[in-house]
Amino acid sequence: MNLILRQVLRVSALFLLVLAWIAAPAEAASAQTKLKVVTSITILQDIAHNVAGDAVELSSIVPTDGDAHEFEPTPDDIRKVADANLIFVNGAGLEGFINGLIADSGTQATVITASAGLPIREFGAEEEGEAHADELAAGYLGVSGSFDCGSHTHEEGEAEHGGCDPHLWQDPTNIIVYTINIRDALIAADPANADAYRSNAAKYIVALKELDKSIWQGISSIPVEKRILVTNHDALGYWVGRYGFQIAGIVLPGGGTSAEPSPQEVAALVDSIRQLGVPAIFTENIANNRLAQQIADEAGIQVVQSLYTDALSAADGPASTYLDMMTYNLKVIVSALGGSSS
Ligand SMILES: [Zn+2]
C-alpha cells in the first residue's frame, strides 16, 4: 500500500514537472506574440492605448513634451522601430525624421498614417502679421488626405507658405477618424483581439464626442469679440477652425518651431495685437517661448503658460492623455480670454 502510494506520488511529481516544462515556454511565446506598436508622438500613443488597451506593447518615438518638428532619432529609436510590427505616424508632414528612421532601421513593420482620409489645412493661408479680423474667418483648403505633404524641413529663416498643417489632432472630431484608422490597422495585424479593439474604439469615440461638446460649452462663456488667439507656433489652426476663433498672429512663422520672425514681422504682429485688443500670448510645452515673451512685453500684454500643443505631458503633469490635454488647454484659453470655466 505504502509502496504504491509512493509510486503514485513520484509519477504525479514527474507529471507536474513535465507540465511545468511544457507550460513555461508556452507562456513566454504568448508574451512574444503581443504586437509591438510604435507611435511617432505621445498623442498617438495615447489614442492607440485607448483602442488597444493592454493587448499590445506600445511606445512613442518623440517623448512627452518633445518637439516632433525638430526631433532627431537616437540609436534607441532605431532599435525600437526595427522591432516594431506596426508603426502609427500622424502624417501631413509632421514627422520629418520618419522616412530616414524607417530606412535606417530596416523594419518590416506596417506603417499607418493616422490622419489618412482627412482634409488637410494649408499653412500661410492668411498672411502672418497682417491679420485683419474680417479676413480671419476659419476656412481651410480642403486638400484631400492623400495629398503628399512631403517632409517638413526648411532652411533657417525661409518663409514657408503653402505647406500642410499637420496639427489635425487639435480638432477632436478628426481624432474620431484617427481612432477608426488605428482600430482597423490593429484588427488587420491582430484579428484575434478584433472584438476588444472594436469595443474600445467605440467607447473612445463616445468620449471624443463628449470632449467636443464640453469645448463648445467652455467657449460659449467667452465673449465673441474676444475669441482671438496669438500662439507661439502655428499649432492651433484646426482648433480655431472647429470652434470659430480667429488667429491674430503666430510668433514663430512657417508652421514649424525653428524659424524666427523678421523685425518687420514682429512689428506687424505687435500692431495686430494692439489693433485687435488681444489680451494674451499663449506659450507651449514643446518649443522655445523666448520670443513670445519679448513680443508680449512689446505689446504690453501678458504671456499665458502654457498650452500643450504637439506632445502630452509626463504622467504627473496636467496633460498626460489626449482628453486631459484638450480639457486643460480649454481651461487655460477660457480663463485668459475672460470666460468662465465650469
Ligand atoms: Zn507643431
Side-chain angles (χ1 to χ4, degrees):
M1 216 37 190
N2 220 348
L3 193 76
I4 292 171
L5 191 66
R6 221 179 293 153
Q7 201 79 332
V8 167
L9 279 175
R10 198 176 300 149
V11 170
S12 309
L14 197 72
F15 180 67
L16 283 175
L17 259 176
V18 168
L19 260 188
W21 181 77
I22 292 170
E27 232 168 77
S30 93
Q32 274 167 11
T33 54
K34 250 193 187 187
L35 213 59
K36 287 198 176 80
V37 180
V38 171
T39 66
S40 59
I41 56 173
T42 49
I43 292 165
L44 289 178
Q45 183 184 9
D46 179 56
I47 298 163
H49 177 67
N50 274 281
V51 179
D54 295 325
V56 305
E57 265 180 57
L58 199 51
S59 62
S60 170
I61 298 165
V62 181
T64 52
D65 295 316
D67 181 357
H69 298 286
E70 295 300 311
F71 184 76
E72 283 173 26
T74 64
D76 226 36
D77 296 318
I78 297 175
R79 271 193 294 276
K80 221 183 325 188
V81 167
D83 284 351
N85 304 110
L86 196 54
I87 300 172
F88 291 120
V89 301
N90 180 75
L94 177 72
E95 299 100 339
F97 62 87
I98 200 75
N99 290 341
L101 177 55
I102 285 169
D104 289 349
S105 74
T107 187
Q108 298 298 306
T110 307
V111 181
I112 300 289
T113 301
S115 67
L118 285 165
I120 306 293
R121 172 185 181 261
E122 192 188 5
F123 279 133
E126 69 271 329
E127 279 186 67
E128 270 139 8
E130 291 177 7
H132 301 290
D134 55 346
E135 290 173 7
L136 287 170
Y140 300 142
L141 282 185
V143 179
S144 97
S146 60
F147 181 77
D148 180 16
C149 297
S151 66
H152 209 75
T153 51
H154 47 79
E155 298 303 312
E156 188 90 9
E158 181 194 331
E160 194 180 88
H161 288 284
C164 293
D165 181 350
H167 307 89
L168 292 102
W169 58 84
Q170 292 293 346
D171 178 343
T173 62
N174 284 343
I175 300 303
I176 294 175
V177 174
Y178 278 45
T179 301
I180 290 167
N181 286 338
I182 288 172
R183 178 200 66 188
D184 291 351
L186 285 167
I187 290 173
D190 180 22
N193 285 309
D195 286 349
Y197 298 146
R198 272 195 205 99
S199 99
N200 292 344
K203 266 183 234 155
Y204 194 55
I205 287 171
V206 170
L208 291 167
K209 289 178 178 167
E210 286 300 315
L211 170 70
D212 182 50
K213 231 187 278 174
S214 78
I215 295 176
W216 279 115
Q217 223 158 27
I219 282 164
S220 67
S221 69
I222 302 173
V224 173
E225 70 277 9
K226 288 192 173 172
R227 295 179 192 175
I228 306 172
L229 295 181
V230 177
T231 60
N232 190 47
H233 91 288
D234 198 354
L236 291 195
Y238 292 93
W239 193 92
V240 161
R242 173 77 184 156
Y243 300 111
F245 271 56
Q246 294 166 346
I247 293 277
I250 307 289
V251 174
L252 305 175
T257 53
S258 62
E260 298 211 344
S262 67
Q264 289 83 353
E265 285 174 314
V266 170
L269 180 53
V270 170
D271 272 357
S272 170
I273 288 169
R274 288 192 180 131
Q275 223 176 38
L276 295 164
V278 179
I281 295 181
F282 296 90
T283 62
E284 59 186 323
N285 66 322
I286 62 143
N288 187 337
N289 298 302
R290 177 181 53 82
L291 272 165
Q293 183 67 60
Q294 192 186 313
I295 287 168
D297 289 347
E298 231 173 284
I301 62 171
Q302 61 163 334
V303 156
V304 174
Q305 313 204 6
S306 139
L307 299 177
Y308 287 83
T309 47
D310 296 11
L312 301 179
S313 72
D316 58 354
S320 64
T321 68
Y322 171 76
L323 296 176
D324 283 352
M325 173 182 100
M326 297 301 284
T327 303
Y328 182 81
N329 286 350
L330 173 72
K331 227 164 67 179
V332 171
I333 290 170
V334 165
S335 100
L337 300 186
S340 59
S341 37
S342 48

